[in-house]
Amino acid sequence: MFFVALFYAFALLFISFTSGIHAHVIPRHRHIPAIASRGSQRQIDAFLDAHNTIRASHSAPALTWSTSLAEKAEFWADQCQFIHSDGKLDDTLYGENIAAATGDFTIPAAVATFISDEDKYDPANPSYFRFTQVVWKSTTELGCAVSQCRGIFPQALLTRTTFYVCLYNPAGNIVGKAPENVQV
């Protein structure tokens, strides 16, 4: 096995010196330089507007922007891994929604994916979804970020993907608290 690896290394070295072709290893999850409007007031307003429009239709008060949550969301989005952070970003409990897609994937489209499970919510038998976190009444703060990544989806390793992370404080989806926090 060692000789196979050694042969492969020499072959790549030979090709790069003799033919001008450079071998590149494509990392599984690669962050692409930040989006120009990242963290701008326009982007912040877009995140807040998308969330607060939905919240208003469910009698939930408007969220305010949290720079602290946004910084944590930015850190996680830059990891370019389509998984939840599972509390790794802070000792304080926070809510979280993530979304990723290729092509033109705007902030309103990302937030629409967060509420796409709204029809599954049954007040008589509450369950906890992405939708319930968005409209959770006792949540007061929001911080979101977006990154451009490659390699999030295994079937499209080279495709540019837009990855959104939104964090919520206080966290929603607390078992037993849905009746007073989620209005449909």
Side-chain angles (χ1 to χ4, degrees):
M1 187 67 173
F2 172 75
F3 290 108
V4 171
L6 188 59
F7 173 77
Y8 182 73
F10 279 118
L12 286 176
L13 190 60
F14 176 76
I15 289 171
S16 67
F17 281 113
T18 60
S19 65
I21 298 173
H22 299 282
H24 296 282
V25 176
I26 300 168
R28 177 110 171 93
H29 305 287
R30 192 174 122 224
H31 175 253
I32 299 168
I35 297 171
S37 64
R38 187 181 216 186
S40 68
Q41 191 60 50
R42 182 176 174 189
Q43 188 181 70
I44 291 167
D45 290 345
F47 280 118
L48 284 170
D49 290 347
H51 278 81
N52 288 333
T53 298
I54 295 160
R55 289 174 63 83
S57 67
H58 292 278
S59 302
L63 297 171
T64 60
W65 190 254
S66 165
T67 302
S68 174
L69 288 174
E71 288 170 355
K72 290 172 181 62
E74 184 175 306
F75 172 80
W76 194 251
D78 287 349
Q79 303 308 302
C80 291
Q81 296 182 39
F82 190 51
I83 57 173
H84 286 274
S85 66
D86 293 330
K88 296 176 186 133
L89 303 175
D90 200 354
D91 292 336
T92 306
L93 186 62
Y94 53 86
E96 180 176 21
N97 275 321
I98 62 174
T102 60
D104 186 24
F105 191 48
T106 63
I107 291 170
V111 176
T113 68
F114 298 163
I115 63 163
S116 64
D117 52 14
E118 178 180 4
D119 61 332
K120 295 178 183 173
Y121 184 75
D122 177 8
N125 187 20
S127 297
Y128 304 91
F129 302 107
R130 296 168 300 173
F131 158 72
T132 52
Q133 176 57 80
V134 171
V135 302
W136 200 264
K137 282 185 173 183
S138 64
T139 296
T140 59
E141 295 180 311
L142 173 70
C144 300
V146 57
S147 273
Q148 295 293 315
C149 305
R150 293 195 200 284
I152 283 185
F153 301 126
Q155 67 277 21
L157 289 178
L158 298 178
T159 304
R160 182 181 295 245
T161 303
T162 305
F163 180 40
Y164 289 94
V165 176
C166 287
L167 303 179
Y168 306 84
N169 182 52
N173 291 348
I174 308 297
V175 175
K177 301 292 183 183
E180 64 260 28
N181 280 288
V182 179
Q183 307 299 308
V184 289

